[in-house]
Every structure is written in structure tokens, then in C-alpha cells.
Amino acid sequence: MVCRVGVMIACLMMWSSISMAEKLLLTIESAEGKTRGVITIVLQSTQAPNHVARIKQLVEEGLYNGVAFHRVIKGFMAQTGDVEFGNIKNFQGDKAGTGSSSYDDLKAEFSEIPFTPGVVGMARSRYIHSANSQFFIMAETQSGLNGQYTVIGMVSEGLDIVRSIKNGSKAQNGKVSRPDIIKTAVIVQ
């Protein structure tokens, strides 16, 4: 972020609020059991309070542990969070990406935050109020997503890890065979 002299106080206030924000730490592991690293996501609870609350709830219940990155498109994004069909313990590759949690879908909380590298958005169906448990992490800028998906956070560390997640088949819209997983997901201050 570039701070101009006239808005230095506002920038300092924003950066101090980011440093105090809750963070989602995702430890990523390959299908072969090799740790790829940790992705740190600063959660945007002021922009999307209900979506962030859902993510925190699912993390606290341990539901993201072992969930696959079922759809990964090189130069675009990596999608995960299907707690119904995407857990590696009972992975259902033909259904991964269609599942959700046992909780109701969420009403969209759109913002002005653009979809640039590291932005984390909630996945949904064509119906705008259908986000539930799945989310995606941007590898590159995709302005066509702006204002269309709820932004829940921003990668503060580990964008290189995001870009190293195993890519899916181009012919199958990013579907991944033997996908990388979220080994553990935790919330920290």
C-alpha cells in the first residue's frame, strides 16, 4: 500500500488494525504428505462479518483439517473448503466442490476490495447468497470477480505457497487428482 503524506494517519490506523486482526493459518500438505508451508490470511471481519464468523466457526470445529484444494487453476486461484465432500479421509472427487457445511448459506457481503493476488473470497453457486464453507485464494488479479464474491481476507504471508499448490486439469476446469490439502487450520490474534 502506498501512503501519501496527507493520509499518513489513516494509513497508520489501517495498518495497526490489520496487525491486530485475527488471522487464519493454513498448513498446506501435498498428497504425498510433504508440508508445503503455511499460508497466513488476515481476516476482514469488518468487511464481511458473517462470512468471517462462519470461517472461524468451521475452523474451531476442526472441519477444515484434511480438506482438499479440489479446484486449482494456474494463474487464477486455488479453491478449497468443501467440508462435506472434500475431506481427504472420505474424499469424493466427483462431488468435491458441490458440498457445504451443515449450516445455512450466507447472504452476500460484497465490498470494494478488488480480486488481486492473495485476496481470499467465498465460493458460491450462481445464486449470490449461496456461500457456505468453500473459499478460494487468488494467485493473480481477476478484476471480473470484483463485486461478485464476498472477500473474507488477504494473504499476508505465503503467497508463494498458494502458487505452489498442485494445479488441476485445464480440460476439467481445474479439477485436481491427488490434491494438496489443508493439514491444519487455526485462528490466531
Side-chain angles (χ1 to χ4, degrees):
M1 158 179 266
V2 177
C3 292
R4 294 187 186 102
V5 176
V7 292
M8 187 58 81
I9 293 173
C11 285
L12 290 172
M13 289 174 58
M14 186 179 83
W15 279 113
S16 66
S17 67
I18 287 173
S19 66
M20 307 226 359
E22 290 180 304
K23 296 173 183 74
L24 170 61
L25 303 181
L26 303 175
T27 302
I28 309 304
E29 186 176 88
S30 71
E32 295 75 32
K34 180 183 175 194
T35 300
R36 291 203 185 274
V38 176
I39 300 168
T40 302
I41 299 166
V42 176
L43 297 172
Q44 297 290 326
S45 59
T46 56
Q47 297 289 326
N50 296 321
H51 287 75
V52 169
R54 171 66 54 81
I55 294 293
K56 289 169 51 180
Q57 180 179 27
L58 297 175
V59 167
E60 289 165 8
E61 293 175 10
L63 294 179
Y64 286 126
N65 297 339
V67 172
F69 281 89
H70 64 272
R71 182 172 178 244
V72 182
I73 300 174
K74 183 178 176 75
F76 180 25
M77 61 85 215
Q79 184 172 334
T80 187
D82 185 341
V83 300
E84 185 176 3
F85 301 119
N87 192 294
I88 207 67
K89 291 178 184 170
N90 60 352
F91 187 72
Q92 297 178 45
D94 56 330
K95 292 183 179 180
T98 64
S100 61
S101 72
S102 61
Y103 302 107
D104 291 338
D105 289 346
L106 297 163
K107 186 174 179 179
E109 296 174 298
F110 296 150
S111 68
E112 298 295 318
I113 299 171
F115 280 86
T116 56
V119 167
V120 183
M122 290 295 284
R124 61 170 177 79
S125 71
R126 290 181 184 194
Y127 178 60
I128 63 169
H129 303 301
S130 61
N132 190 293
S133 65
Q134 295 187 48
F135 59 92
F136 56 94
I137 308 171
M138 301 304 298
E140 299 301 335
T141 297
Q142 292 291 327
S143 59
L145 302 180
N146 295 351
Q148 304 296 312
Y149 293 83
T150 298
V151 173
I152 60 161
M154 177 71 177
V155 172
S156 62
E157 295 177 53
L159 187 56
D160 58 325
I161 307 302
V162 173
R163 291 176 172 147
S164 76
I165 293 170
K166 184 179 178 184
N167 291 314
S169 164
K170 197 172 193 177
Q172 294 185 313
N173 196 27
K175 182 178 177 181
V176 185
S177 62
R178 296 189 41 79
D180 290 352
I181 65 165
I182 299 171
K183 183 175 182 181
T184 59
V186 296
I187 302 289
V188 298
Q189 279 289 3

